[in-house]
Amino acid sequence: MRDKALLDISTINRPKKSTGPQGPGPIPALTVVSHSMLDRVGDRLLLQALTLGRQVAISRTEPDFIPPGEALGRPLSDPGLSRRKPLLLTPGSRPGAIRLEASEGNPVVVPGAAPQGPWEFSAEQVASGVPLELAERVVLLLHLADPTAQEKVDALGMVGTSIGIHQVRRHIEQVADLGVPVLIRGETGSGKELIAQAIHQSSHRRDKAFVTVNLGALTKELATAELFGAAKGAYTGAVKDREGFFRAAHGGTLFLDEVAEAPPEVQAMLLRVLETGEIYPVGERTPVKVDVRLIAATDAPLEQQSQEGRFKAPLMHRLGGYTIRVPPLRERREDIGLLFLHFARQQLEALGEGHRLNPSDVEGEPWLPASLASRLVRYAWPGNIRQLHNVTRQIVIGSRGLPSLRLDPALEQDLSGPTPAPVSPPTAEPPAPPGKAPPRRKISDYSEEEIVGTLEAKSWEIKKAAEQLGVARTTLYDWLERNPHVRSASSLSKEELARHYRDCQGDLELMSQRLKMSRWALVRRLKELGLLEDTST
């Protein structure tokens, strides 16, 4: 069953950082991920002072962290933090970098970093999000934020305050009252259907039907009849007229999920509907006029499929009358604390234990331990928000009767997978000349753990990993071929692939992470062995 929880979603790539103290782009910020007072999760401190070259001091009593959409805030107030010995944030040695210095009174742990400070976080690490564990009680995420965003946490029915969700809300508001079709693109599990629902609810069609159909779940034989309807006797088994999804959505919105899976004949008919507003039910010769707002979604590379002749280019362009791109959860780490709390509240209410999420004593132990919160924020979430929902349910149910949440060993092993690249201490290496790409490094400069960690963080996409490491793609390919601990897709037997495909229930992203290889390499091997239908035929 498709997850109907209110998810955080975002669109387009993150904006470029502001180049000036008063630029329109995002600025550094600290967001509360875990705190003994659960209502503090999501509170934020914008670090404008850093963009002006000034220092920011964080202690128990100052400065104030402000809840989203509100004007007034409160200091962290946690008893584990010192009043007089703050931790200090200052501009780093490179553009966009931030330097952190801890004190004895405010001990800080930076997961994946050396055990001693100070630390310097690069602009790329800040953009990705760096968790800071304070006194083993509070977790803050250092990241980029839009200083102009003023929405509430659940504006438009979506949970989150990140740059991405601010953009997606803006795009929904821009397109909702129009009749143009919308194409939503993003990884599986990222909440594309929730965007479609928000568009529908924000439009003048909100009182009419919202009909969802997963084209990947329809059989080729019945897809046309399911979508466009059929007359009685039009095919074997058609014992009565079939209305079809288009007529069921008349006056409202039809959401076509996994549109890339549409058979060629369905693609042709979809194009006709978009051009004429008419459908031909199977077995009928007279067209039927329909008034339907069409929203489609896919995680497939439609441009590539179009070039290969598997998806009609005119249909791709017509479906994309307005496109919203959904980046993965790993690029929106600042919302993970809010989303986890949202899903935990849902599960506790289902268990009849909703009272456990009432604001607690600031002196008490955090219900969400700092180490667990940090692990959640650092994890790469290949299954995106759907996976986070499932993990939250597992943690909450597995911790029933305990004063705080904990991980069972199996789940702990699962969450020890892909994480961001480790944080490095400050170096005296001079910055690269402006306008020039950073110099390439040797693959021998990295340990096997660092290389594999980067590949995992980049979902085993060789090009992206090579760019992150600063090495040539051919060099990385050669290293993979020589390394006895990394397997290639071509080395997998049909039986082994079939077993993993069953175990992962066809989730290729999950297979990619488990087998430690590119999703597209797996797709090619699955098709080669006849385990995955080749849609090009």
Side-chain angles (χ1 to χ4, degrees):
M1 182 180 295
R2 184 169 296 278
D3 187 358
K4 297 293 184 181
L6 301 180
L7 308 183
D8 176 306
I9 324 147
S10 60
T11 173
I12 314 298
N13 293 326
R14 290 176 178 266
K16 295 181 180 179
K17 297 186 296 297
S18 171
T19 56
Q22 298 180 1
I27 64 174
L30 288 169
T31 292
V32 178
V33 177
S34 178
H35 195 281
S36 58
M37 302 288 289
L38 293 172
D39 62 340
R40 300 302 306 276
V41 173
D43 287 6
R44 177 168 297 175
L45 172 67
L46 295 176
L47 302 172
Q48 293 102 326
L50 292 180
T51 67
L52 299 171
R54 297 202 300 261
Q55 175 181 276
V56 177
I58 311 293
S59 71
R60 185 196 304 185
T61 55
E62 60 179 0
D64 288 348
F65 283 69
I66 301 174
E70 298 186 18
L72 300 177
R74 295 171 287 173
L76 290 174
S77 304
D78 191 276
L81 305 179
S82 171
R83 294 187 181 94
R84 300 179 180 178
K85 297 180 179 180
L87 60 93
L88 303 177
L89 294 170
T90 55
S93 60
R94 297 170 183 251
I98 295 176
R99 182 184 178 96
L100 169 66
E101 294 184 46
S103 67
E104 294 181 2
N106 282 311
V108 177
V109 172
V110 180
Q116 70 281 344
W119 298 273
E120 181 162 304
F121 312 117
S122 68
E124 292 73 22
Q125 288 168 330
V126 174
S128 177
V130 179
L132 309 175
E133 298 179 22
L134 278 56
E136 299 183 352
R137 292 177 54 84
V138 176
V139 176
L140 305 179
L141 185 75
L142 176 63
H143 63 99
L144 296 179
D146 186 342
T148 67
Q150 299 295 329
E151 304 105 337
K152 294 183 178 180
V153 170
D154 56 355
L156 288 182
M158 294 178 289
V159 174
T161 61
S162 63
I163 290 175
I165 197 172
H166 170 64
Q167 291 181 332
V168 85
R169 287 168 177 148
R170 180 174 59 83
H171 283 284
I172 290 172
E173 292 169 352
Q174 292 286 94
V175 77
D177 62 340
L178 304 178
V180 299
V182 177
L183 179 62
I184 305 169
R185 307 188 69 165
E187 294 181 7
T188 181
S190 57
K192 296 184 288 293
E193 183 173 345
L194 273 296
I195 296 179
Q197 291 175 343
I199 294 172
H200 174 75
Q201 291 300 324
S202 301
S203 73
H204 65 274
R205 298 173 181 265
R206 66 179 64 89
D207 296 327
K208 302 296 184 179
F210 177 85
V211 178
T212 297
V213 54
N214 187 328
L215 293 180
L218 298 181
T219 63
K220 289 186 176 181
E221 295 74 18
L222 293 179
T224 304
E226 292 277 8
L227 283 169
F228 307 107
K232 178 181 178 180
Y235 55 88
T236 303
V239 296
K240 61 179 181 179
D241 289 343
R242 182 187 291 270
E243 181 184 42
F245 290 116
F246 267 92
R247 282 187 283 189
H250 182 72
T253 302
L254 179 61
F255 175 59
L256 300 178
D257 200 6
E258 295 189 32
V259 70
E261 302 299 319
E265 58 272 18
V266 170
Q267 293 182 34
M269 296 184 75
L270 286 175
L271 184 58
R272 178 180 177 82
V273 176
L274 287 166
E275 292 176 342
T276 67
E278 296 177 343
I279 63 171
Y280 277 88
V282 178
E284 295 281 3
R285 296 185 177 181
T286 304
V288 176
K289 201 77 175 177
V290 290
D291 173 24
V292 172
R293 171 73 174 279
L294 201 61
I295 303 176
T298 184
D299 64 347
L302 290 183
E303 291 80 6
Q304 178 181 335
Q305 292 190 1
S306 176
Q307 293 174 1
E308 296 171 353
R310 293 185 287 151
F311 199 87
K312 295 183 180 297
L315 177 59
M316 177 181 67
H317 297 310
R318 290 301 297 266
L319 288 172
Y322 195 88
T323 298
I324 297 177
R325 300 184 185 274
V326 188
L329 181 59
R330 60 185 173 272
E331 295 180 8
R332 308 192 312 279
R333 300 181 190 277
E334 57 266 46
D335 288 328
I336 289 177
L338 285 168
L339 286 164
F340 181 88
L341 195 59
H342 173 77
F343 293 137
R345 181 174 286 108
Q346 287 183 333
Q347 187 58 51
L348 287 172
E349 289 175 351
L351 296 172
E353 300 179 8
H355 62 279
R356 296 189 64 181
L357 286 184
N358 293 331
S360 52
D361 182 4
V362 71
E363 302 283 343
E365 290 298 314
W367 183 64
L368 174 59
S371 59
L372 174 52
S374 179
R375 185 186 290 262
L376 294 174
V377 171
R378 294 188 71 233
Y379 184 63
W381 298 107
N384 290 294
I385 298 175
R386 185 181 298 123
Q387 184 186 11
L388 174 60
H389 192 186
N390 293 337
V391 167
T392 304
R393 181 188 300 115
Q394 181 80 9
I395 292 173
V396 171
I397 294 176
S399 303
R400 294 185 71 185
L402 300 177
S404 61
L405 299 176
R406 65 167 179 84
L407 288 176
D408 64 60
L411 188 55
E412 184 173 9
Q413 178 65 29
D414 290 342
L415 293 181
S416 64
T419 60
V423 174
S424 301
T427 66
E429 182 181 349
K436 293 185 178 181
R440 288 197 179 277
R441 299 180 64 179
K442 297 179 181 179
I443 198 74
S444 58
D445 292 343
Y446 298 95
S447 67
E448 178 177 325
E449 182 180 3
E450 289 174 319
I451 297 172
V452 172
T454 302
L455 284 163
E456 290 177 333
K458 297 299 180 182
S459 300
W460 291 88
E461 295 298 329
I462 304 300
K463 179 181 179 182
K464 294 180 180 179
E467 290 174 350
Q468 177 72 28
L469 294 168
V471 301
R473 265 186 288 174
T474 53
T475 301
L476 186 53
Y477 275 117
D478 291 341
W479 183 90
L480 288 168
E481 290 179 0
R482 295 193 309 269
N483 192 294
H485 303 122
V486 180
R487 302 181 64 185
S488 65
S490 60
S491 70
L492 297 172
S493 67
K494 185 172 184 178
E495 294 74 20
E496 185 176 8
L497 263 181
R499 185 179 73 255
H500 283 289
Y501 191 78
R502 287 194 304 271
D503 291 345
C504 295
Q505 299 180 341
D507 188 335
L508 296 176
E509 294 292 341
L510 183 58
M511 284 185 68
S512 171
Q513 295 299 332
R514 287 191 177 181
L515 293 172
K516 301 184 183 302
M517 58 187 62
S518 165
R519 178 180 186 273
W520 300 114
L522 283 174
V523 169
R524 288 194 297 270
R525 183 61 172 162
L526 286 165
K527 288 181 178 179
E528 178 184 319
L529 296 176
L531 297 173
L532 186 68
E533 184 177 0
D534 191 339
T535 56
S536 63
T537 59

